Amino acid sequence: SYELTQPPSVSVSPGQTARITCSGDALAKQYAYWYQLKPGQAPVLVIYKDSERPSGIPERFSGSSSGTTVTLTVSGVQAADEADYYCQSADSSGTYVFGTGTKVTVL
Amino acid sequence: EVQLVQSGAEVKKPGESLKISCKGSGYSFTSYWIGWVRQMPGKGLEWMGIIYPGDSDTRYSPSFQGQVTISADKSISTAYLQWSSLKASDTAMYYCARPGRYCSGTSCYTDGYFAYWGQGTLVTVSS
């Protein structure tokens, strides 16, 4: 198995930009995906294949990749964006792994 | 519309057995993998394993191999997660989730992410 490491927390003021990193050797070869998780709700996919945004996800969510690190960027953060965010990847054998998770606090 | 509907919350004692379910609808149940994800209280998401209901091919995370059993009954479009002897540390929210799929030409491939999620089943194990 492999690991994906995220910072435990990120704090940002409304209207500012939040950047959440996810690091792991597997990311050099595999896509990363990002989920938003709010209390009492199922996870919501916000970015797939490193930088693609599913329909219905606001444009302020974007993703990028460089080597073994991927980054989720939330521009113009709103109070509604306060949540836990998880990166996730998968290998060709059908093994999935989630990152350690980042709590985004909107100040 | 793709839906995954999970069974309700459970309260069990240590040592008891349990089987929770996840019923898929709105798609061909036998053509897509379906996985299970754990979230312990205050902790992160953990991938537990995945099953292909079409042929019951099952993969487990090393962390969960031997600890749980994943199965599926394709006749009723339902996947299961079961424990033979629960521990207090099994207290968690459990989600079922289905990856997406894309096709290129005549071949189709499983996406590396979970496109659809169940609502979660809270399992509490306490004496």
Side-chain angles (χ1 to χ4, degrees), chain B residues 53-118:
Chain B
D55 62 8
S56 295
D57 185 7
T58 308
R59 320 271 171 88
Y60 292 93
S61 162
S63 299
F64 292 93
Q65 180 82 48
Q67 308 303 308
V68 297
T69 301
I70 294 172
S71 61
D73 184 340
K74 57 188 179 183
S75 70
I76 54 173
S77 300
T78 300
Y80 301 98
L81 177 66
Q82 70 180 92
W83 296 259
S84 59
S85 181
L86 286 161
K87 302 185 283 286
S89 57
D90 292 318
T91 294
M93 179 71 81
Y94 294 89
Y95 295 99
C96 63
R98 200 211 81 179
R101 191 175 71 169
Y102 64 97
C103 297
S104 177
T106 58
S107 298
C108 292
Y109 306 89
T110 298
D111 274 318
Y113 64 93
F114 295 104
Y116 301 95
W117 294 73

Side-chain angles (χ1 to χ4, degrees), chain A residues 3-26:
Chain A
E3 297 181 348
L4 298 176
T5 302
Q6 300 178 230
S9 62
V10 168
S11 297
V12 60
S13 300
Q16 299 303 302
T17 297
R19 294 183 179 84
I20 306 165
T21 58
C22 172
S23 299
D25 291 343

Side-chain angles (χ1 to χ4, degrees), chain A residues 16-95:
Chain A
Q16 299 303 302
T17 297
R19 294 183 179 84
I20 306 165
T21 58
C22 172
S23 299
D25 291 343
L27 298 178
K29 297 181 180 179
Q30 305 295 337
Y31 285 121
Y33 310 90
W34 289 94
Y35 301 88
Q36 177 191 69
L37 184 55
K38 294 183 177 180
Q41 299 181 22
V44 173
L45 182 74
V46 295
I47 292 290
Y48 67 100
K49 291 185 178 179
D50 293 345
S51 59
E52 300 293 322
R53 193 173 52 250
S55 61
I57 299 302
E59 290 184 9
R60 61 180 184 274
F61 288 89
S62 63
S64 62
S65 175
S66 179
T68 58
T69 298
V70 295
T71 302
L72 173 68
T73 300
V74 187
S75 305
V77 165
Q78 301 179 2
D81 300 329
E82 186 163 285
D84 294 331
Y85 291 83
Y86 292 87
C87 61
Q88 177 252 306
S89 191
D91 66 21
S92 56
S93 68
T95 298

